[in-house]
């Protein structure tokens, strides 16, 4: 290819990837539903986006390293402390039972349905065992199932990807060498691959520990160092044995997220942006390699294979994996309706199919287009139906807002009580024991002591929390914590404004969403409370009490709209107004 063709190809892939993700966000659908057909159409219209022509033999190893980065980011989001009891039992079963049942049944059906040899069928059976956090995660964020269900499915997707990648490499080598490999050799090869990946993960985690504990790298160097360490370790593992770098990447992410001694600077926004870009580039590139001609005689049988995996195989795996656990019937049903295929399936098919075709394996040319059809079919089906299925099964988190109030002063506790009275599920956190005792006496749910520390450290997401409000007397704490938590919560993060004469180091100079306007600072709340003011709720249609300030509107549907420095929500019929009213504490309940 000429220089101009390469420039056009690379630029076009990047533009299509980002534009597809922007379009998907506006349509409120999973990005894969747009990325795959866009990449396929681009590949059919021009050869400039063909990654095999752009990158040549470098394409497959670059895909492997890119997937390692994705799995490292997924590992960072996993919390080992939450993988316990029946949750752990279900996740472990979903992985080993899912791999065995899906791989075996997929292989048996692929032979007659796709008209391929047993060796090619074994390859596609191994490819289709994987799911993946990059597909499951966005779908779950859209559906919003209950916390335990979301944890189970994210853990399954994150851990089954490296297992499936290694299984694909194992089957590939068995297929191209001979058909006479004994089961014992395959098992020993698989265990050896796991050992290499685990050793690489330990080495990578130790390397990061030394870098962060000894050199004390800042946020920018800390993020780039992690990226270099993950790619370097994954590359070394893949040199020793194919796809073992995926296990190393997940283990490194788990170590960073779970080890208390791993003092890692804030990093999630960098990796979230990088992973989003990588996903877009990979799906556009890989789907561009699928030609309309290759789909001509494959798409209908492949749809049949996808239907069999969705309707028969996944429900069977879910039933067996959840036997003897305390999961509800609805949770079991939703697990049986959530197994989309994603980037690892596409990457594995892209990596191995061309080599199998070159080896003359019967039906190998159908592996990549059939995998493409299964990915499109499962992502589209689950993406369009998962919300309705979750609602029907009763496993959706309540649509009402669940705010986290940070602070334990009397007026903050009264605010929490008023919001709870208006029908919201309120969670509170405070650092001082006296304030925590006040929250308990008010009967409001108290967040665990480590919750905020884990979130501000970037190691955990605030699951199920729709907004965070920092309402403490420490202006600098409010400002800094708001910046750090912003990437860990589904909704907005707000803080009280600092006073005009604040001597804080950070608060007077940092941006962010400021609650209630510039005048209602913590000092103002404290002074007015001493004068007898109270936080109370009233129908939004009623006239505001003289001298009162509107703080929030609790909408009829349970959503919560705060008054901010830049906006004041408009009340609608059925809303509840939350006010700071003067001289009303004698008639309102107060948490002491």
């Amino acid at each position: 290819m000429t220089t101009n063709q390469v420039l056009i190809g690379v630029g076009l892939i990047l533009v299509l990837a980002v534009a597809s993700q922007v379009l998907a966000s506006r349509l409120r659908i999973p990005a894969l539903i747009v990325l795959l057909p866009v990449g396929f159409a681009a590949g059919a219209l021009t050869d400039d986006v063909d990654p095999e022509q752009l990158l040549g033999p470098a394409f497959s190893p670059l895909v492997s390293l890119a997937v390692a980065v994705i799995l490292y980011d997924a590992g960072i989001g996993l919390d080992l402390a939450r993988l316990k009891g029946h949750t752990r039992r279900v996740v472990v079963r979903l992985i080993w039972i899912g791999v065995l049942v899906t791989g075996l049944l997929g292989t048996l059906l692929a032979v007659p349905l796709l008209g391929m040899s047993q060796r090619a069928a074994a390859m596609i059976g191994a490819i289709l065992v994987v799911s993946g956090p990059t597909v499951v995660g966005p779908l779950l964020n859209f559906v919003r199932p209950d916390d335990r269900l979301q944890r189970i499915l994210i853990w399954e997707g994150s851990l089954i990807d490296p297992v499936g990648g290694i299984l694909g490499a194992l089957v590939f080598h068995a297929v191209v060498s001979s058909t006479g490999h004994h089961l014992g050799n395959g098992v020993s090869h698989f265990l050896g691959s796991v050992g290499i990946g685990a050793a690489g993960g330990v080495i990578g985690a130790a390397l990061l520990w030394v870098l962060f504990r000894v050199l004390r790298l800042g946020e920018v160097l800390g993020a780039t160092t992690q990226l270099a360490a993950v790619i370097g370790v994954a590359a070394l593992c893949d040199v020793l044995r194919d796809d073992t770098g995926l296990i190393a990447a997940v283990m490194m992410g788990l170590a960073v997220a779970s080890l208390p001694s791993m003092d890692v600077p804030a990093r999630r926004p960098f990796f979230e942006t990088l992973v989003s870009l990588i996903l877009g580039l990979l799906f556009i590139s890989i789907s561009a390699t699928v030609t309309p001609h290759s789909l001509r005689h494959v798409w209908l049988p492949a749809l049949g294979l996808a239907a069999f995996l969705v309707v028969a195989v996944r429900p069977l795996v879910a039933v067996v994996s959840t036997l003897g656990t305390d999961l509800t019937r609805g949770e079991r049903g939703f697990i049986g309706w959530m197994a989309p295929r994603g980037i690892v399936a596409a990457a594995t098919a892209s990596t191995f199919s061309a080599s199998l075709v070159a080896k003359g394996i019967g039906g190998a040319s159908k592996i990549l287009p059939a995998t493409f059809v299964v990915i499109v079919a499962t992502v589209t089906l689950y993406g369009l139906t998962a919300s309705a299925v979750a609602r029907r099964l009763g496993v959706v988190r309540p649509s009402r807002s669940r705010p986290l109030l940070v602070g334990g002063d009397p007026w903050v506790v009264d605010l929490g009580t008023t919001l709870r009275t208006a029908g919201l599920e309120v969670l509170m956190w405070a650092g001082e024991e006296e304030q925590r005792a006040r929250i308990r006496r008010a009967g409001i749910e108290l967040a665990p002591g480590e919750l905020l520390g884990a979130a501000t450290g970037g190691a955990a997401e605030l699951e199920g929390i729709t907004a965070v409000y920092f309402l403490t007397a420490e202006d600098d704490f409010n400002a800094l914590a708001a910046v750090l938590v912003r990437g860990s919560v589904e909704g907005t993060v707000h803080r009280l404004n600092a006073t005009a004469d604040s001597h804080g180091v950070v608060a007077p100079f940092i941006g962010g969403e400021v609650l209630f306007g510039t005048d209602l600072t913590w000092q103002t709340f404290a002074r007015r409370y001493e004068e007898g003011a109270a936080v109370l709720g009233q129908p939004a249609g009623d006239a505001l009490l003289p001298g009162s300030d509107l703080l929030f509107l609790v909408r009829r549907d349970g959503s919560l709209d705060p008054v901010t420095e830049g906006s004041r929500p408009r009340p609608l019929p059925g809303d509840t107004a939350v006010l700071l009213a003067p001289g009303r504490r004698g008639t309102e309940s107060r948490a002491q």
Side-chain angles (χ1 to χ4, degrees), residues 56-70:
F59 177 58
S60 288
L62 286 176
V63 168
S64 180
L65 295 178
V67 173
V69 173
I70 293 171

Side-chain angles (χ1 to χ4, degrees), residues 341-510:
R341 272 57 180 180
I343 189 60
V344 173
T348 306
S350 175
T351 300
F352 295 138
S353 61
S355 298
L356 293 178
V357 171
K359 294 285 184 180
I361 304 298
S365 61
K366 300 178 181 179
I367 291 175
L368 180 58
T371 302
F372 175 81
V373 171
V374 172
I375 292 173
V376 172
T378 55
V379 170
T380 303
L381 178 64
Y382 291 129
L384 297 178
T385 64
S387 289
V389 170
R391 287 194 299 270
R392 184 67 180 268
L393 295 174
V395 296
V396 180
R397 287 202 299 266
S399 59
R400 305 183 75 82
S401 292
R402 190 189 184 211
L404 170 63
L405 308 184
V406 179
D409 294 297
W411 71 268
V412 181
V413 177
D414 280 3
L415 173 60
T417 301
T418 303
L419 293 176
R420 191 180 60 170
T421 302
L424 302 186
E425 183 184 354
V426 179
L427 186 67
M428 295 190 68
W429 183 91
E432 299 178 10
E433 186 53 40
E434 178 185 354
Q435 295 180 341
R436 295 175 70 83
R438 184 182 293 124
I439 295 170
R440 292 190 191 97
R441 288 197 299 270
I444 300 175
E445 183 181 356
L446 184 63
E450 70 276 5
L451 173 67
L452 201 62
T456 53
E461 290 193 5
L462 299 172
E463 292 182 351
I465 292 173
T466 56
V468 180
Y469 302 107
F470 288 96
L471 309 171
T472 74
E474 299 295 331
D475 293 333
D476 280 349
F477 170 80
N478 293 340
L480 285 172
V483 171
L484 294 175
V485 167
R486 193 165 290 126
S488 301
V489 67
E490 298 174 7
T492 56
V493 178
H494 295 79
R495 63 179 176 89
L496 286 174
N497 194 31
T499 57
D501 58 348
S502 173
H503 297 290
V505 177
V506 176
F509 311 104
I510 200 167

